[in-house]
Amino acid sequence: IEVLRQQPLFKFLSYRGLVKVMNNAEQRRFSAGGELLVEGERGDTLMIVLEGGLQASVGGSKVREIGVGGSCGEYALVSMAPHRHTVIAKEDTRVLAIARDALFELMRLDHVMAMKLTWSLVQMMDSHLRATSRELRSAIAVIGRLRGYVPEGEALELPSPDPNLADVGVSAIGVTEEVVPPFLFAENESEGTD
């Protein structure tokens, strides 16, 4: 339950809601080198590391490690787009797997839980959009600096970013600025834990 509570997606769920999610999840084991997600393939499962560790790569280049309490596959819950990473077990690893259909069924049956999960997803997407915007602004600045280093008479083909993109996500948001609607603190996700 504590591992779920630490996940941004489930942070607003009550104990009862967390138990419902646990009852609809399954534990999976992967041997060292086993693939959890494959870049370019589609998936439908969020996986949270309970024991062991994972390594994520893009195009064969390692991009991050995922330890106990970390997760992968979050976007597979809301998108049928192919995975952007390949994720393998660095060592023998146990994960908690939550399938899209199981989560959707919980949300269908419990509108308060659905609102809480939807709000958490919106916040996660906002956070990722802001991070992507920062990276984009940085890349635009690098392109601008590179244009200044081109010797006369040489051609350098660099992308010409849309100048309007630089304004995306200009305002940083801190945890203290997080909007938290009151319905997130409703205690009773429907009765029962199944």
Side-chain angles (χ1 to χ4, degrees):
I1 295 288
E2 285 309 309
V3 171
L4 273 183
R5 187 181 308 278
Q6 294 170 10
Q7 297 299 309
L9 179 60
F10 303 113
K11 71 181 179 181
F12 294 115
L13 294 185
S14 66
Y15 180 80
R16 180 177 296 177
L18 293 170
V19 169
K20 285 182 184 183
V21 171
M22 286 292 294
N23 287 344
N24 285 278
E26 65 176 328
Q27 290 190 30
R28 296 182 186 170
R29 294 183 183 278
F30 294 88
S31 298
E35 293 179 329
L36 286 77
L37 307 177
V38 177
E39 186 175 355
E41 292 185 7
R42 298 180 195 283
D44 68 349
T45 306
L46 163 66
M47 289 181 253
I48 302 167
V49 180
L50 300 174
E51 292 175 358
L54 308 175
Q55 178 177 302
S57 61
V58 175
S61 297
K62 178 179 154 183
V63 292
R64 72 180 175 124
E65 292 189 359
I66 304 166
V68 173
S71 62
C72 62
E74 299 91 338
Y75 285 108
L77 295 176
V78 295
S79 173
M80 293 178 64
H83 293 301
R84 298 174 298 164
H85 301 87
T86 292
V87 178
I88 63 165
K90 289 181 4 184
E91 56 193 293
D92 289 348
T93 300
R94 186 170 55 97
V95 300
L96 184 66
I98 303 165
R100 179 190 309 135
D101 289 343
L103 195 62
F104 282 3
E105 182 63 11
L106 285 173
M107 293 171 75
R108 184 185 71 77
L109 295 171
D110 186 335
H111 72 277
V112 173
M113 179 184 284
M115 290 295 291
K116 290 178 177 186
L117 292 172
T118 301
W119 187 257
S120 293
L121 280 168
V122 167
Q123 287 186 323
M124 289 168 55
M125 299 292 177
D126 176 68
S127 175
H128 288 227
L129 177 61
R130 288 174 187 279
T132 301
S133 295
R134 281 191 300 275
E135 291 172 11
L136 179 59
R137 284 193 307 277
S138 176
I140 290 169
V142 168
I143 289 170
R145 286 193 301 276
L146 287 174
R147 288 184 196 283
Y149 291 114
V150 178
E152 278 207 37
E154 286 191 31
L156 176 64
E157 290 189 35
L158 293 172
S160 295
D162 181 341
N164 296 323
L165 290 178
D167 293 330
V168 174
V170 169
S171 303
I173 186 167
V175 174
T176 57
E177 297 169 321
E178 184 177 283
V179 176
V180 182
F183 65 76
L184 295 176
F185 298 102
E187 274 302 313
N188 34 336
E189 286 115 4
S190 299
E191 297 302 316
T193 55
D194 295 329

